[in-house]
Amino acid sequence: MTERSTDGASSDQPLSFIEWAPGFEIGSTLRNLLVGALYWVTLPVSVFILTYAYMANRERTSAVSRNLLVLCFAFLLVLVLVPLLTGSGAGDTVVDREQYTSTVDRFSAEEGDRIKVHLQNKGTGFRTNVAIEGPDGGVILSESTRDEERYTVELEDGGEYTVRMTPHDSTPSTSGGVTVELLKPGA
């Protein structure tokens, strides 16, 4: 049996993750859970902290520790690359209104672009209306809601689009709002 020193290290056994990762302590389950949760919440930063600690102790770390660090890097890579590759990132916000009066906004788009429309109503019993008109003046979306709705529309023509938001009521506490995001093809 190998003897461990008071700091938890031994000369002939590799260090476990808890022994080399900053903040963890052998035998302190609650502390280790809290530190682990902190690492999870701050994953983009904590991966670099763990990498530094690993590199400082790499000759003495176990294979399990190395694999755990590789998994952290893989997870971070997935968090960054999936939105980029699938186009699930946010588009450009072209309209963001939360008013209690009728508004008219315009934005330019190209053929094949998509828009995501978020329509919300603050009050109960009243409706917030939105109409989006194409470059030719034809209505491509006309909806109203008492709650909250989301719509995605592919734009068939390039040009200037008009967004008309009309709250049913004229008081700020019961009126709604509309947000329109413009998404380019592949986004």
Side-chain angles (χ1 to χ4, degrees):
M1 178 176 213
T2 304
E3 299 274 334
R4 291 212 181 249
S5 64
T6 55
D7 66 357
S10 74
S11 59
D12 61 348
Q13 283 190 352
L15 296 175
S16 68
F17 178 78
I18 290 177
E19 293 172 298
W20 64 263
F24 290 98
E25 189 175 299
I26 294 175
S28 296
T29 305
L30 181 59
R31 175 189 173 130
N32 294 343
L33 287 173
L34 292 173
V35 170
L38 182 64
Y39 275 130
W40 178 254
V41 170
T42 61
L43 185 66
V45 174
S46 62
V47 166
F48 296 104
I49 293 169
L50 292 172
T51 301
Y52 177 78
Y54 168 77
M55 295 305 286
N57 296 292
R58 71 179 166 269
E59 292 83 25
R60 303 181 310 160
T61 58
S62 68
V64 172
S65 295
R66 286 187 293 273
N67 292 341
L68 183 60
L69 191 59
V70 168
L71 284 174
C72 285
F73 264 116
F75 185 70
L76 181 62
L77 193 62
V78 167
L79 283 177
V80 170
L81 288 181
V82 167
L84 292 176
L85 296 176
T86 61
S88 59
D92 294 329
T93 301
V94 291
V95 176
D96 189 3
R97 292 287 186 168
E98 201 167 308
Q99 293 189 197
Y100 54 91
T101 60
S102 295
T103 61
V104 176
D105 290 286
R106 290 180 176 76
F107 66 93
S108 295
E110 297 174 4
E111 179 181 342
D113 288 351
R114 290 179 302 138
I115 54 171
K116 287 170 55 175
V117 180
H118 179 206
L119 180 62
Q120 60 188 3
N121 190 33
K122 290 182 186 176
T124 55
F126 298 101
R127 289 188 175 275
T128 298
N129 306 296
V130 67
I132 300 180
E133 299 167 359
D136 63 355
V139 177
I140 61 169
L141 178 73
S142 179
E143 297 291 340
S144 65
T145 186
R146 290 180 186 219
D147 300 312
E148 181 174 11
E149 298 290 336
R150 295 178 191 272
Y151 306 96
T152 301
V153 179
E154 186 168 337
L155 305 177
E156 296 177 2
D157 300 312
E160 188 172 82
Y161 286 78
T162 303
V163 179
R164 298 181 191 279
M165 197 268 293
T166 310
H168 184 277
D169 191 21
S170 61
T171 59
S173 63
T174 58
S175 299
V178 64
T179 304
V180 178
E181 280 185 67
L182 179 63
L183 303 170
K184 296 294 181 183

